[in-house]
Amino acid sequence: MELNTPLQISFENLSYAVKVRAKTDQAPTAGNRLKAVLSKAQYEDKVILNGLSGAFRPGRVTVILGPSGSGKTTLLNLLAGHESSGTVSGNIWVNGRQASGASIRQLAGYVHQDDVILPTQTVREAITMSIILRPPPLSLVPPKSPETVVGSIHELREPEFNPHEEKDVLPLPATTKDQARHNGVQPKHSDKDAAQARSSHAIQPKHSDKDAAQARSSHAIQLFGLEKCQDTSIGDSSAKGVSGGERKRTAIAMENVTQAPILFLDEPTSGLDAHSALMVMHQLKAVANEGRTVVAVLHQPSSEMFEMIDDLLVLFEGRTVYLGERAEFVDYLARLGHPCGMYSNPADHVFNSVLYEHLQGSKRMGTQTIAVERAEQLLTQWQQSPGAHKLQQLVDAPTLAPITASQFRRTSPPLVQVKYLTKRAALNAMRNKLIINIRLAQAVFFGLLIGFVFLNTQDRPIPVQRQNFSGALFFTAVTQFLLSILSVVNVFTQERLVFLREWQGGYYGLPAYFASKNMIELPIQMLVPIIYASISYWLLGLRSDGVKFVIYTAVCICLNLCGFSFGLLLGSVFNNMSTILAALPGMFLPFLLFGGLLVNTGNSTVWLRWVQWISPIKYGYTAMMKNQFTGYVVDGQPIGDAYLEQVDLGSFSIGVNIVFVLLLAFLAWIFAYMALLYLTNKGRGDPVKNNPKRLQQELLGAPDERFVQSMS
């Protein structure tokens, strides 16, 4: 079975800058601020990363340290393909192949600082989801039993590396064939070897994908010490779930099970207690011992954690202070005249006595100009050190082992995505019992409310019937449309961040998510109006006709579906509930005003009359009014047709009005999809240049001519 090639990330003169508003010498008065807003803005480049060069090696844990604003997370995001709004210059290579953040994204997993996981999922479900939707490379052998995994957290000690021990993935080239691969030469396999490989695949016992996913999930749960909480919901601020450390280990496990050869982590220990942080570090060591490239940003690691680091990159004001082996870091500082005390934490020492050594007391953080001067001084000292020359040799002569197609991250087929996401959405809806119960209670409450307010209207005088039926039907149209909007945006705004994070992580595509979301929501959107209609219709005393009741119910369903689509649109365009509530009146009140009751739309202001044609309330109200009053007779008097002519709701039939409600629902649904599509593609750069297949072909190609010539 083919073994994955260790991957080395190299970069040279890597810089990153963003556009910011240029500073002025004017006093910050209200008039000057207004003038700046109204005038043409002047922008200048703000350099975040300045000429970084280095390499991140496989089989090692590389940690990036530095004060806030030094560019740690920016560098991580740039290499992982999560930063594309600024200007990038310099070179990036993976095993000597020219690369970019977008191409490295095809090979890397990324653990964010904030863990965004669906709150109702259990730990096991979250890890299993990652396995099913992002299956590991086909070339990987099945995982060992958890008891034999190197670096299990139950031991809580640094794993010892035995070069004679068999591994699932070789950490570094060792054998003759691997050495040939290391030098960029594909090892030759005989026909006999190929036949044996095919035979070994053929005779392996077949297990269902579900069983395989559960086996890998159990392996990850034991590796990351999540046995006690495996069936506990992740939870959120409103519903208690797993602890912060367990949530973080779950997020790392979700990326680890994909077996991506590169793993980036943004402050994976922030917010954790010392023991939990140490557990996370042990697990990262276990991942690196599989031959994978692990790069993490850490914030103030403890002494125990610092000793577990293999390579260390220290940044200050976007410049390199040190990049090399952790074991040589203290000696390097001593040579600069900053010896670290025997019982001092080197991570604290570099902040307190090196980076800000020139500042004292209340001026500890200093000015930007002084900080930049200090960073340039430290950069110069680093560039003149033997470690920098050694590092440059590593950049100039990287490993040229070919990248295999099996190392690229995989995504399950669209049908698998839809099936799994639909099941997950159904479980999420059932576990949010309070939300469903509230929606059902609302249908019952408003059905009873309007029914009892206008109880037995058919037995009242003709003028009262006209007024009550009109008011009740208008109230019905408004509530069915508005309550559906509010119910959707309340839930979707919470799921929106989860969707974006999972989409960025390559779990699924937008079509699969959108389809599953609609398949689960549509039955609920149909059940609620049926309950409402079944209660309100007969209490109101509307016409005792089965066909009329069916039409009334159908209009309620269509208005709910239309509200659902408009809710999706609002949730897709705006990113939080407060913004939606601020924007909702601007959309809803014109629909309400031109809904057919408050204003006689046939005689309203001409240049505003067009609003009625985009109001779902108007179409729904018109359909229900015509359903009730067409041919309506009271005590032998045909009052219905005359009343419809008086209120002037238009000439469209009931069916046409229902079609227009559905048409508006469909248009809002399409616009919601387009808004999500724009959101997912925002900041992704050129879609042609960053096409995954194109990026993969570049990485599978020959090494950069620069390195090939140097090897010859």
Side-chain angles (χ1 to χ4, degrees):
M1 183 171 291
E2 182 183 2
L3 295 173
N4 282 332
T5 307
L7 302 182
Q8 173 185 310
I9 302 174
S10 307
F11 47 93
E12 187 176 52
N13 297 325
L14 186 61
S15 298
Y16 180 77
V18 295
K19 294 288 185 181
V20 296
R21 189 181 292 272
K23 296 181 179 179
T24 63
D25 296 331
Q26 296 178 339
T29 63
N32 289 334
R33 291 194 187 99
L34 179 61
K35 183 179 179 181
V37 171
L38 297 178
S39 63
K40 186 176 180 180
Q42 299 294 325
Y43 291 91
E44 61 184 7
D45 286 333
K46 179 180 180 180
V47 179
I48 308 298
L49 302 175
N50 194 342
L52 303 184
S53 297
F56 298 148
R57 293 180 286 176
R60 303 176 69 83
V61 175
T62 302
V63 167
I64 305 175
L65 292 181
S68 299
S70 60
K72 307 184 300 297
T73 300
T74 300
L75 175 61
L76 199 74
N77 290 339
L78 187 63
L79 293 176
H82 289 263
E83 196 78 61
S84 59
S85 59
T87 303
V88 183
S89 62
N91 295 304
I92 303 174
W93 299 279
V94 177
N95 281 15
R97 277 80 177 167
Q98 194 74 40
S100 64
S103 58
I104 294 178
R105 190 187 185 98
Q106 307 297 316
L107 297 163
Y110 191 99
V111 179
H112 293 263
Q113 180 178 354
D114 54 327
D115 308 312
V116 179
I117 307 173
L118 192 66
T120 56
Q121 280 186 302
T122 66
V123 169
R124 176 176 288 277
E125 288 171 348
I127 297 174
T128 304
M129 177 189 71
S130 183
I131 296 171
I132 293 176
L133 299 182
R134 302 184 299 176
L138 293 171
S139 61
L140 289 177
V141 298
K144 297 178 182 179
S145 62
E147 292 78 6
T148 62
V149 173
V150 176
S152 172
I153 65 155
H154 299 293
E155 301 177 16
L156 271 183
R157 59 181 177 82
E158 182 172 353
E160 297 178 358
F161 175 69
N162 183 357
H164 302 291
E165 180 184 358
E166 294 183 1
K167 299 275 186 180
D168 290 345
V169 180
L170 283 178
L172 291 173
T175 65
T176 304
K177 290 183 179 181
D178 294 321
Q179 187 63 46
R181 185 189 303 277
H182 176 69
N183 293 328
V185 181
Q186 288 279 11
K188 296 181 179 180
H189 301 279
S190 66
D191 295 338
K192 181 179 179 181
D193 293 336
Q196 289 178 348
R198 288 192 296 270
S199 175
S200 65
H201 284 290
I203 63 176
Q204 286 180 353
K206 294 183 178 180
H207 299 283
S208 67
D209 292 339
K210 183 178 180 180
D211 292 339
Q214 290 297 333
R216 288 188 177 275
S217 179
S218 298
H219 169 260
I221 286 171
Q222 291 203 1
L223 173 63
F224 287 90
L226 298 168
E227 298 97 325
K228 293 182 179 180
C229 64
Q230 59 180 310
D231 296 319
T232 304
S233 297
I234 298 297
D236 55 14
S237 58
S238 60
K240 179 63 178 176
V242 297
S243 67
E246 291 166 340
R247 179 193 292 265
K248 176 60 68 176
R249 298 204 302 275
T250 301
I252 298 175
M254 292 171 68
E255 292 298 328
N256 180 66
V257 294
T258 65
Q259 294 295 318
I262 302 172
L263 182 61
F264 295 108
L265 305 99
D266 185 14
E267 299 198 20
T269 60
S270 294
L272 305 183
D273 59 79
H275 179 70
S276 297
L278 188 60
M279 293 172 71
V280 169
M281 198 64 190
H282 275 281
Q283 289 145 7
L284 296 184
K285 289 287 289 184
V287 172
N289 284 341
E290 296 176 353
R292 296 154 70 183
T293 306
V294 179
V295 183
V297 171
L298 293 187
H299 181 71
Q300 295 290 131
S302 64
S303 299
E304 293 83 357
M305 292 172 59
F306 189 84
E307 290 300 316
M308 299 181 67
I309 297 172
D310 295 314
D311 294 328
L312 183 66
L313 167 60
V314 181
L315 294 178
F316 186 46
E317 295 296 330
R319 295 158 176 83
T320 303
V321 174
Y322 178 84
L323 175 51
E325 295 186 12
R326 181 268 311 161
E328 300 176 359
F329 180 58
V330 174
D331 292 337
Y332 171 73
L333 295 181
R335 290 196 297 271
L336 295 183
H338 303 285
C340 181
M342 182 178 298
Y343 300 107
S344 298
N345 181 358
D348 295 333
H349 175 71
V350 70
F351 282 92
N352 299 329
S353 302
V354 180
L355 301 183
Y356 297 111
E357 178 263 348
H358 59 292
L359 301 171
Q360 300 295 331
S362 61
K363 297 182 179 180
R364 198 69 181 161
M365 297 305 295
T367 64
Q368 181 67 22
T369 302
I370 297 177
V372 171
E373 292 176 354
R374 178 59 175 167
E376 290 288 354
Q377 178 186 359
L378 293 172
L379 173 62
T380 302
Q381 293 174 331
W382 163 248
Q383 291 174 338
Q384 296 173 353
S385 68
H389 296 295
K390 180 181 177 181
L391 179 65
Q392 188 60 45
Q393 293 176 359
L394 185 61
V395 174
D396 293 335
T399 175
L400 301 181
I403 301 172
T404 61
S406 63
Q407 291 180 280
F408 294 120
R409 300 185 60 172
R410 300 170 58 215
T411 302
S412 58
L415 289 179
V416 175
Q417 297 177 19
V418 172
K419 180 180 178 181
Y420 186 87
L421 291 176
T422 302
K423 178 182 177 182
R424 185 181 76 158
L427 287 174
N428 183 47
M430 288 187 292
R431 289 169 180 172
N432 280 320
K433 295 180 180 179
L434 181 60
I435 295 178
I436 294 181
N437 290 338
I438 289 176
R439 294 176 68 175
L440 296 177
Q442 282 180 340
V444 174
F445 172 76
F446 284 108
L448 292 173
L449 175 65
I450 195 172
F452 286 121
V453 169
F454 300 100
L455 185 63
N456 296 327
T457 297
Q458 79 279 8
D459 298 330
R460 302 186 183 186
I462 292 177
V464 175
Q465 289 191 39
R466 290 174 177 173
Q467 181 180 3
N468 283 7
F469 281 141
S470 298
L473 295 178
F474 187 76
F475 179 84
T476 295
V478 171
T479 55
Q480 295 306 295
F481 180 67
L482 179 60
L483 293 180
S484 181
I485 291 178
L486 294 176
S487 64
V488 172
V489 297
N490 182 48
V491 175
F492 188 67
T493 50
Q494 299 175 14
E495 295 182 3
R496 185 177 186 265
L497 184 58
V498 176
F499 158 70
L500 288 176
R501 181 62 57 82
E502 292 177 346
W503 182 87
Q504 291 172 354
Y507 284 84
Y508 45 77
L510 175 58
Y513 171 78
F514 205 69
S516 64
K517 178 69 177 175
N518 282 271
M519 282 190 288
I520 294 303
E521 283 289 341
L522 289 180
I524 301 175
Q525 297 299 331
M526 297 178 71
L527 176 62
V528 170
I530 289 175
I531 295 174
Y532 172 87
S534 300
I535 296 173
S536 63
Y537 189 87
W538 307 109
L539 290 177
L540 286 172
L542 297 173
R543 298 170 72 172
S544 299
D545 187 329
V547 175
K548 299 288 186 181
F549 169 72
V550 171
I551 294 175
Y552 175 82
T553 305
V555 175
C556 290
I557 292 174
C558 292
L559 285 169
N560 260 270
L561 295 178
C562 193
F564 167 71
S565 297
F566 275 88
L568 277 182
L569 177 59
L570 289 172
S572 301
V573 173
F574 303 106
N575 59 5
N576 59 70
M577 192 65 180
S578 59
T579 307
I580 292 175
L581 292 178
L584 182 58
M587 178 198 75
F588 177 73
L589 291 181
F591 290 168
L592 181 69
L593 185 61
F594 286 87
L597 178 67
L598 303 179
V599 176
N600 189 307
T601 53
N603 295 282
S604 60
T605 306
V606 175
W607 60 276
L608 289 174
R609 197 175 298 174
W610 61 271
V611 178
Q612 65 179 307
W613 306 120
I614 60 172
S615 172
I617 296 175
K618 163 66 184 307
Y619 292 115
Y621 175 61
T622 301
M624 288 188 288
M625 285 287 287
K626 291 192 174 185
N627 183 55
Q628 172 63 21
F629 284 103
T630 300
Y632 185 53
V633 178
V634 178
D635 297 331
Q637 300 181 30
I639 67 168
D641 294 326
Y643 181 61
L644 288 175
E645 186 175 347
Q646 178 184 344
V647 296
D648 195 9
L649 292 174
S651 59
F652 293 148
S653 65
I654 295 174
V656 172
N657 280 284
I658 292 176
V659 168
F660 273 113
V661 174
L662 293 176
L663 178 61
L664 289 174
F666 180 73
L667 290 176
W669 187 78
I670 292 296
F671 286 138
Y673 182 87
M674 293 176 63
L676 285 178
L677 184 63
Y678 171 79
L679 189 65
T680 54
N681 290 330
K682 185 179 179 180
R684 303 293 291 174
D686 186 352
V688 176
K689 182 179 179 181
N690 293 333
N691 180 272
K693 292 184 178 180
R694 182 177 181 272
L695 296 173
Q696 292 177 10
Q697 288 300 320
E698 292 178 355
L699 292 174
L700 292 173
D704 195 318
E705 289 290 336
R706 163 184 171 178
F707 305 121
V708 175
Q709 293 175 0
S710 64
M711 292 289 292
S712 60

